[in-house]
Each structure stands twice: as C-alpha cells, then as structure tokens.
Amino acid sequence: MSNKILAVDTATENCSVALLMGDEVISRCEYAPREHTTKILPMVDEVLAQGGITLNQLDALAYGRGPGSFTGVRIGIGIAQGLAFGAELPMIGVSTLAAMAQGTYRLHQAEHVMTAIDARMDEVYWGQYIRQADGDWLVHGEEQVIKPELLVGQIETLNARWFTAGTGWESYAEALAQLPTEVVKGSVLYPESTDMVHLAKFALARGEVVAAEAASPVYLRDTVTWKKLPGRE
C-alpha cells in the first residue's frame, strides 16, 4: 500500500510543503523570511488540490523539527499540529539537517554530506550524514551546535569525499576551510519538504510517529528555551 504523507517546514528562511503519494511528490517551496504564516497554508491547499486528496486521506503529517530558527520551528510545528489534530493524523518530526543531506543526494547524488546551518552567535548547527543502501540516512556522530573552529579536531572524515550543504559554509567559510577532508561544494542552502517526505517514509515504516500533542522541536543549543519562553517569538 502506497504511503500518503504531507510535510511542512518553516524552520529556516525557506517555506515549503510537499505531498508524497506512492512514488510521486508534489511540492511548493519559496524563500520567504518572515512570511511563513501567510505562505504555508495556501501551499498546503495547493498540493492537496493538485494531488486530489484531503487531509483525512493521509497516513501521516511530517514537519521540520529543527534545528533552525526558534520562531520558524515553532510556527511550523504549530501549523502542522493544527492540521494533524483536525484530521486525527500521526506526526513525524524530520531533522532539517538530514533533509539537506537528502536534498544534496537528489541534486548531486552525494552519499556523504556535511550539513551546517548558520546558528548565529558564531556557531553552526552541524551534522554528518551517510546514505544507506535502502536510501535512508545515518547520522555519523550526532547533530550538535558548535563553533566551526572546534570541528577541526572533532570530525571523522572516513576517507570519503564529503559534499557540503547549508548556510553555515558561507557564513563561516574561513573556519570550515580548515577541515581535514576533501570537501565538494553542494548547492543546497536550506531544507525542503520534498526531501522531508522521503525521510518521513522511512520513519513511518519504523513506526516512529507521535500523536499531535506530543510533537516537539529540536533546537540543539538550548532545549530548555522551549519550556522557559512559551509565549515569546
């Protein structure tokens, strides 16, 4: 039976929605800083209309769980929860870093990807990903927030050629140029929902779903912030 999964993401400056129906993906994506709340729901309506299905016919709803902008991650989860509650759908949180790795494979056929999102404060959200034989991704080490210069003595290169993804490579080019490995510049700067539905398919098969009320963000820098400042943008 073919999976039907909708993904929404507003964790970075990008705003995107994608609908997976079997092997077909219908998507919308726009670079829209500070316009996520006005863009995302019309995108949802468009992809569902093009796919000819309703929310109630979906198997799950995926969302970009971060890391990313504090406000952007909150907006995405809030909208996804509202959609999931109404249609009684299970939810799947997808890493924005892993989504960029999948995007780099989609565009460059890269199977080793180093992802770095500019986290401000002279830090990056960092993850290394290795593509598996089945098309899923394995994180090598763990996702973390770190000063770029500290990565030099920490990362493992595995004698592989690594592709880059994310805004961190431009923001901290000098520090990241010191990494002791062959690096190939990729073109992916932001996560996209079209790649999130690919990852969500594997998560759904493993049963990695949560109820809408249990959907939660990943910030990496300070997991306490979400609890401390529930009303701040």
Side-chain angles (χ1 to χ4, degrees):
M1 186 167 142
S2 298
N3 291 139
K4 299 181 181 67
I5 302 172
L6 180 74
V8 300
D9 178 56
T10 62
T12 64
E13 291 88 336
N14 245 12
C15 180
S16 64
V17 171
L19 172 64
L20 173 71
M21 296 193 302
D23 295 324
E24 180 186 6
V25 176
I26 300 168
S27 64
R28 298 288 187 276
C29 181
E30 185 175 343
Y31 177 82
R34 297 176 296 281
E35 295 182 76
H36 296 64
T37 53
T38 59
K39 298 280 187 182
I40 197 74
L41 287 176
M43 287 182 175
V44 169
D45 292 338
E46 287 178 17
V47 299
L48 290 175
Q50 187 175 338
I53 68 171
T54 64
L55 283 171
N56 300 83
Q57 294 173 285
L58 297 173
D59 297 306
L61 199 152
Y63 63 95
R65 61 171 174 79
S69 156
F70 177 69
T71 300
V73 174
R74 288 186 64 192
I75 289 171
I77 290 180
I79 290 172
Q81 283 177 315
L83 295 171
F85 269 125
E88 298 183 349
L89 294 172
M91 296 183 68
I92 302 168
V94 177
S95 163
T96 50
L97 296 172
M100 291 194 300
Q102 170 59 26
T104 305
Y105 176 79
R106 173 170 54 84
L107 295 175
H108 303 292
Q109 290 71 58
E111 297 191 344
H112 292 78
V113 184
M114 290 177 169
T115 59
I117 293 176
D118 185 354
R120 313 302 180 191
M121 297 172 63
D122 295 323
E123 293 179 321
V124 292
Y125 296 123
W126 175 265
Q128 288 177 257
Y129 291 89
I130 303 171
R131 191 172 187 269
Q132 305 300 288
D134 62 357
D136 200 1
W137 289 84
L138 176 70
V139 60
H140 182 65
E142 60 182 8
E143 295 181 350
Q144 60 182 311
V145 59
I146 188 171
K147 291 187 179 298
E149 59 269 22
L150 299 181
L151 285 167
V152 174
Q154 185 180 115
I155 68 165
E156 294 182 57
T157 62
L158 305 179
N159 295 318
R161 187 176 70 152
W162 293 85
F163 276 72
T164 68
T167 55
W169 292 93
E170 293 185 352
S171 300
Y172 304 100
E174 185 175 347
L176 291 174
Q178 307 304 314
L179 295 179
T181 186
E182 181 184 359
V183 171
V184 181
K185 184 178 180 181
S187 60
V188 173
L189 292 179
Y190 304 102
E192 293 189 26
S193 290
T194 191
D195 301 306
M196 290 185 176
V197 289
H198 174 87
L199 299 171
K201 175 180 62 177
F202 289 100
L204 182 61
R206 293 190 296 266
E208 295 174 0
V209 300
V210 297
E213 62 269 19
S216 60
V218 169
Y219 293 115
L220 295 184
R221 173 177 285 131
D222 184 3
T223 56
V224 180
T225 304
W226 176 262
K227 298 178 182 177
K228 280 185 178 178
L229 305 174
R232 288 187 59 180
E233 291 297 324

